[in-house]
Amino acid sequence: MGDWAALLPDLTDGDRRRVERGLSEADARIRAVLHAASTHHWGSSATSVPEWSAVESWPVEVRRSAALAGHLEVSTGSVPTALNDVLRALADGALPWTRADLVWCLEVVARGECYDNGAHLELPALIAARLTPAELADLVPTLDALVNDLVGDHVVAVEPRRRAVRLIGEALDRATGRRVPPWLLHDGDGFGPLVRAELDTVLAAPGVPELLAHCASLERPAAPAKWQRRLDELLDTTPGGTAAVRSILDAFAGYGRPLHDDSDRLLRGLAWALSRQPDEPATDLLARVTTAAAAAPRQAPGFPHAQRTAVAAIALLAGRGGEAPVRTLARLAVTVRNKAVQSRIQAALSHLGALRGWSVSEMMDLTVDDHGLGPDGRLCARVGPYDAAVEVTGEKARLAFARDAVALKGVPAAVKQAYGDELKQLRDLAKRVGATLTAERQRVEGLLSEERTWSPSDWSSRFLDHPITSAYGRRLVWETSTDGHLWTAGLPRRDSDGWTIADREGRAVPGDRVRLWHPARATTDEVFAWREHILATGLTQPFKQAFREVYLRTPAEELTHTYSNRFAAHILRYRQANALLRARGWQAGYLGTWDGGYESEATKPFGGGAWRASFHHQLVDNADERRFDVEYCSTDQVRFARRDGATWQPTPVVDVPPLVFSEAMRDVDLFVGVTSIASDPQWADRGEDRFHDYWRSTVVAELAPSAQVRRDALARLLPRTTIADRVRLSERYLHVRGTIRTYRIHLGSGTILMEPDDAYLCIVAARDRTGRLHLPFDDDPMLSTILSKAIMLAADDTITDPTVLGQLTR
């Protein structure tokens, strides 16, 4: 029990006898009724069977004693007994409850069992609600502590816990004369105490507590008409109601942490209250609330800070005018990982697009937040004697300071001391810009699965002049056409009359439409030529484009018709695989040893949301039956579906657009290539025998498309290295000639075999051994790993690590 039990006053012997008088007889009578009720259908409530009508005619003293006997049973019985409705029915009506009854019930709870059905809370809460303020006066400390204990309880089911907190809270209001009920904005999270401390006067204004209580009573995302009418009445009759709504929501928008479920329910109702205000500031605040509610902790991206509020606010925001709703929802569509919230976002975007005549993908183009940055990607501000700038550098946002045109390292101490508010605003801006950059990178890469074209003016304004998107658009290959049939590829170039596309020879290419270049639509010679050009010019693309893998349908996939087994039957390290799934924008339920947790379907939209890929994977049982964590999962089918209104229709593989198919399979290949146990350089030393055959076959397997592209990149990079005369490429391996031995590095798994006996060599190479070698992309960690290993092994006579030397000389 919590601290509240120590605050309970003692019962006198006389009070105890009065409370327990007739308890045994009433217990026998109610047990007989419950036994008769148990013969009815298992889903029937005991209070709805014919035998219960006799209970309703019992004298009030007998019903009172029967309720106390039931309370004793549910609180101290060795088996959980869900008599919630029975206790509420027995206590209903004008029963002669006393302070002694409440103290006795709380004593029983303090020494009994607290089961998750919450039946032990029903009678104390009902009695507290019937007592007068005078009877409750000396119980206020106990009841206050009990409420604080209950709001942090994660064992008792939500409904009985909330019912008890509300009834006891209302009793405390009467006893203390408080204006703000303790069950609103309570201590179950940090937000409640924060708001109470900062907005105490606002919360206690006449009518505001009643308004808050009504907002907290909303039970679903869409408010019923009757609830809305009552909301409007309260807003009209409460002078400070609208200000209170905005103040609480504004505090939440800056809170940035998860909420207790009770606070989440309150904010959901407050979001509806805010939606009654038609002005633009209300829309902007609703957008900020939606963003804050849909945000999630970094370590748990699938669990929003306030999911109930997010779901309601998304729908409300979609009904507002202006740019803020579209911009906010478009950004959330890229960043939110929770499946339920994401489905609401997509529905809201479709609704907005239909109203404005835009596709969802076009809305995403038009609503990228520039955060006030100029075309050069900078926002400058004067902070005292210093010049501050939030600027986009590469793919990151940074805050820089200068004085008299001289750049400074870090933030000047004088700024920290004298301009704290301005510094906080600039840091917050840099953080928001960084978040938009991250989301925009993922969105632009997603365009590779779409068949979209832009006019030259739209292309330049959206991808080259935009201070955020230009960080990516200017480093990508685009192609243009005058007839939509013959396309010519090139890189963006700014000329005197604006942006143009220049081919590899630097010639401007005319055209009246532009699209993002994809190697799946190009010839092999063209792909190789662009790869060589990217390396020769030293351009680092924001993601693989010239070196992008292409996945074509195979005859086997045409035979299976509705699914692909290309990446089935692999063993993945589950925690890493799940993290990578979510980082790539896939949504999946967690695997675990619970009902429904043994298999999962990861999904991700492609083709601008018109298509969806599903990647099936299953839990692999632990060899140690005493462990319940999930260490490994096995891969299964990849399936596709086409959007049909609000539903998805399964689609044969042969009907999936080539770009959608290639991009989806590329993601799945990435999951397998990065998180398979075959890619773990130390697995062989600690691996389980049951996976040994899989590991041995996979580490030397035929190269997947990702590894084939890696091989081509190495063929172009290695001649530029200092070890060019010590390495050669074969079909599956990079061969390295060291001084002590000769080695083969598998281009898919990175596994090292030593010649002449193919002995396995386990090393974990440092990632920075590639030195200043230019890599055309930075999203293939295996490429860097293979290069690092090759550089190390070419100079194996300089290795000093005894664990590696022992393997080389044994």
Side-chain angles (χ1 to χ4, degrees):
M1 276 298 105
D3 295 338
W4 64 268
L7 301 174
L8 264 176
D10 294 328
L11 272 182
T12 66
D13 292 340
D15 282 341
R16 191 176 303 279
R17 284 193 298 271
R18 280 190 293 272
V19 171
E20 296 177 350
R21 184 181 302 125
L23 206 61
S24 299
E25 295 81 357
D27 181 64
R29 294 184 68 174
I30 193 62
R31 284 181 185 274
V33 174
L34 294 177
H35 176 72
S38 67
T39 63
H40 291 267
H41 187 267
W42 65 270
S44 301
S45 169
T47 61
S48 63
V49 300
E51 289 81 358
W52 189 260
S53 59
V55 176
E56 295 174 345
S57 63
W58 289 355
V60 292
E61 278 297 339
V62 175
R63 290 182 60 186
R64 170 189 161 279
S65 295
L68 293 171
H71 175 67
L72 185 63
E73 172 65 23
V74 299
S75 300
T76 61
S78 59
V79 178
T81 308
L83 297 180
N84 302 61
D85 55 343
V86 170
L87 290 171
R88 292 199 301 274
L90 286 170
D92 190 30
L95 273 63
W97 296 115
T98 66
R99 170 191 174 279
D101 292 332
L102 178 56
V103 174
W104 184 87
C105 286
L106 292 175
E107 283 184 350
V108 171
V109 173
R111 70 172 186 267
E113 301 290 340
C114 296
Y115 295 115
D116 60 359
N117 57 43
H120 61 287
L121 299 173
E122 299 285 2
L123 192 58
L126 288 165
I127 295 174
R130 307 288 174 81
L131 298 183
T132 65
E135 292 174 303
L136 291 168
D138 69 327
L139 296 178
V140 167
T142 303
L143 296 178
D144 257 334
L146 175 58
V147 168
N148 287 333
D149 190 55
L150 289 177
V151 297
D153 190 291
H154 299 288
V155 175
V156 178
V158 171
E159 288 308 317
R161 179 189 60 78
R162 292 185 67 228
R163 188 162 49 243
V165 168
R166 180 176 57 80
L167 290 173
I168 297 172
E170 290 173 351
L172 284 168
D173 292 345
R174 296 197 313 275
T176 61
R178 293 173 183 160
R179 294 290 301 152
V180 183
W183 54 276
L184 289 174
L185 300 168
H186 52 60
D187 294 349
D189 54 28
F191 180 66
L194 173 70
V195 173
R196 281 177 175 268
E198 294 184 355
L199 304 174
D200 181 57
T201 304
V202 173
L203 299 178
V208 171
E210 291 76 13
L211 173 62
L212 299 183
H214 180 69
C215 289
S217 70
L218 181 60
E219 293 293 337
R220 61 192 69 171
K226 181 179 180 181
W227 187 93
Q228 293 186 52
R229 286 194 297 271
R230 177 58 179 158
L231 172 66
D232 292 336
E233 291 174 4
L234 289 169
L235 287 171
D236 290 342
T237 58
T238 306
T242 299
V245 168
R246 296 196 185 209
S247 297
I248 297 172
L249 290 176
D250 185 65
F252 168 68
Y255 180 61
R257 291 189 292 280
L259 291 188
H260 189 282
D261 184 65
D262 293 343
S263 299
D264 193 4
R265 290 170 183 265
L266 170 62
L267 290 177
R268 176 172 61 186
L270 290 173
W272 271 93
L274 180 64
S275 73
R276 318 310 267 186
Q277 309 304 314
D279 55 281
E280 186 174 342
T283 301
D284 292 338
L285 177 55
L286 186 59
R288 292 195 293 120
V289 167
T290 307
T291 300
R298 182 177 299 177
Q299 65 273 23
F303 296 90
H305 287 163
Q307 182 168 336
R308 298 178 192 276
T309 303
V311 168
I314 286 166
L316 294 170
L317 191 62
R320 312 284 290 196
E323 292 299 313
V326 185
R327 184 184 302 114
T328 300
L329 293 171
R331 184 165 58 247
L332 293 177
V334 180
T335 58
V336 168
R337 296 290 175 261
N338 180 275
K339 186 177 291 187
V341 176
Q342 182 63 242
S343 67
R344 301 295 182 120
I345 294 170
Q346 293 300 325
L349 284 172
S350 298
H351 172 73
L352 281 171
L355 290 177
R356 306 189 186 197
W358 299 338
S359 69
V360 172
S361 187
E362 187 169 12
M363 278 197 295
M364 304 287 274
D365 284 353
L366 295 168
T367 56
V368 181
D369 198 342
D370 62 13
H371 298 285
L373 274 62
D376 60 349
R378 303 179 81 241
L379 184 146
C380 298
R382 188 74 176 173
V383 182
Y386 301 95
D387 294 311
V390 174
E391 56 190 11
V392 176
T393 304
E395 297 181 26
K396 296 180 184 265
R398 63 186 292 264
L399 173 59
F401 283 88
R403 184 167 187 175
D404 299 330
V406 177
L408 304 176
K409 291 184 178 180
V411 180
V415 172
K416 295 179 182 178
Q417 295 169 0
Y419 303 96
D421 290 342
E422 292 88 340
L423 178 60
K424 182 180 184 301
Q425 292 175 6
L426 290 169
R427 282 175 166 167
D428 288 345
L429 175 60
K431 184 178 179 180
R432 294 196 303 272
V433 171
T436 303
L437 281 165
T438 300
E440 192 63 353
R441 181 191 186 281
Q442 186 170 334
R443 185 189 75 85
V444 173
E445 186 177 12
L447 294 173
L448 287 167
S449 71
E450 298 185 45
E451 292 282 2
R452 285 190 64 195
T453 62
W454 296 266
S455 67
S457 59
D458 285 345
W459 166 67
S460 59
S461 65
R462 298 180 190 181
F463 295 96
L464 306 179
D465 290 328
H466 193 284
I468 301 294
T469 315
S470 62
Y472 308 107
R474 297 180 186 182
R475 295 183 287 145
L476 293 172
V477 180
W478 301 81
E479 52 186 353
T480 186
S481 173
T482 56
D483 59 7
H485 298 289
L486 181 62
W487 293 85
T488 305
L491 288 166
R493 185 181 69 195
R494 191 196 294 274
D495 290 340
S496 58
D497 56 350
W499 288 97
T500 188
I501 291 179
D503 64 13
R504 291 187 298 276
E505 285 71 38
R507 298 185 297 262
V509 181
D512 59 9
R513 67 201 75 184
V514 179
R515 71 182 184 185
L516 192 57
W517 181 83
H518 195 297
R521 290 190 294 235
T523 65
T524 302
D525 289 343
E526 184 184 5
V527 171
F528 286 165
W530 273 111
R531 290 178 181 177
E532 191 62 37
H533 183 75
I534 295 296
L535 284 170
T537 57
L539 178 66
T540 300
Q541 296 197 287
F543 44 78
K544 280 186 180 181
Q545 187 193 26
F547 284 86
R548 201 168 192 83
E549 304 86 351
V550 174
Y551 298 77
L552 305 176
R553 284 189 297 269
T554 64
E557 287 159 342
E558 294 175 359
L559 286 174
T560 55
H561 190 58
T562 57
Y563 61 89
S564 168
N565 265 336
R566 189 183 306 196
F567 297 108
H570 285 275
I571 306 298
L572 311 185
R573 302 186 299 277
Y574 176 64
R575 284 185 290 274
Q576 292 91 332
N578 185 61
L580 186 55
L581 276 165
R582 297 176 188 281
R584 292 292 300 172
W586 292 69
Q587 297 173 349
Y590 288 98
L591 293 176
T593 54
W594 51 76
D595 187 23
Y598 285 83
E599 58 184 29
S600 180
E601 176 189 11
T603 61
K604 179 181 177 180
F606 289 90
W611 292 86
R612 186 181 73 177
S614 303
F615 171 44
H616 297 257
H617 50 291
Q618 293 88 30
L619 177 149
V620 175
D621 289 329
N622 284 320
D624 185 351
E625 296 181 354
R626 295 169 297 181
R627 291 184 57 186
F628 296 98
D629 60 320
V630 181
E631 191 168 5
Y632 304 112
C633 69
S634 63
T635 62
D636 204 338
Q637 302 170 352
V638 177
R639 293 177 175 266
F640 294 88
R642 187 202 309 263
R643 184 183 290 278
D644 182 10
T647 63
W648 294 97
Q649 297 300 323
T651 305
V653 173
V654 293
D655 294 336
V656 179
L659 295 186
V660 171
F661 181 84
S662 183
E663 289 301 302
M665 298 301 281
R666 179 181 183 271
D667 269 4
V668 178
D669 187 9
L670 176 68
F671 306 149
V672 172
V674 173
T675 69
S676 167
I677 60 173
S679 66
D680 184 350
Q682 298 177 316
W683 190 90
D685 293 336
R686 55 177 167 78
E688 301 179 31
D689 291 340
R690 58 185 175 142
F691 299 144
H692 189 71
D693 290 343
Y694 164 77
W695 184 83
R696 289 293 300 178
S697 62
T698 305
V699 295
V700 295
E702 181 179 347
L703 299 186
S706 57
Q708 294 171 9
V709 170
R710 191 176 301 130
R711 184 187 185 282
D712 184 63
L714 285 167
R716 301 170 191 279
L717 289 169
L718 288 170
R720 294 173 165 83
T721 67
T722 57
I723 62 170
D725 60 337
R726 288 181 166 268
V727 296
R728 67 178 178 86
L729 281 168
S730 63
E731 182 180 356
R732 301 185 188 181
Y733 296 93
L734 172 61
H735 298 258
V736 182
R737 177 171 53 84
T739 302
I740 301 175
R741 299 188 73 157
T742 301
Y743 313 89
R744 287 186 297 151
I745 306 175
H746 190 263
L747 301 176
S749 64
T751 302
I752 306 171
L753 300 176
M754 298 185 290
E755 297 181 359
D757 56 352
D758 284 349
Y760 171 70
L761 174 62
C762 175
I763 61 173
V764 181
R767 287 282 176 87
D768 59 355
R769 293 180 66 90
T770 54
R772 297 184 178 180
L773 179 64
H774 164 68
L775 300 180
F777 47 82
D778 60 4
D779 55 353
D780 183 4
M782 184 58 72
L783 175 63
S784 299
T785 298
I786 290 174
L787 280 169
S788 295
K789 288 180 176 180
I791 293 170
M792 175 187 290
L793 295 174
D796 57 4
D797 57 332
T798 65
I799 295 175
T800 58
D801 188 328
T803 60
V804 178
L805 286 174
Q807 297 177 76
L808 297 181
T809 57
R810 69 186 176 192

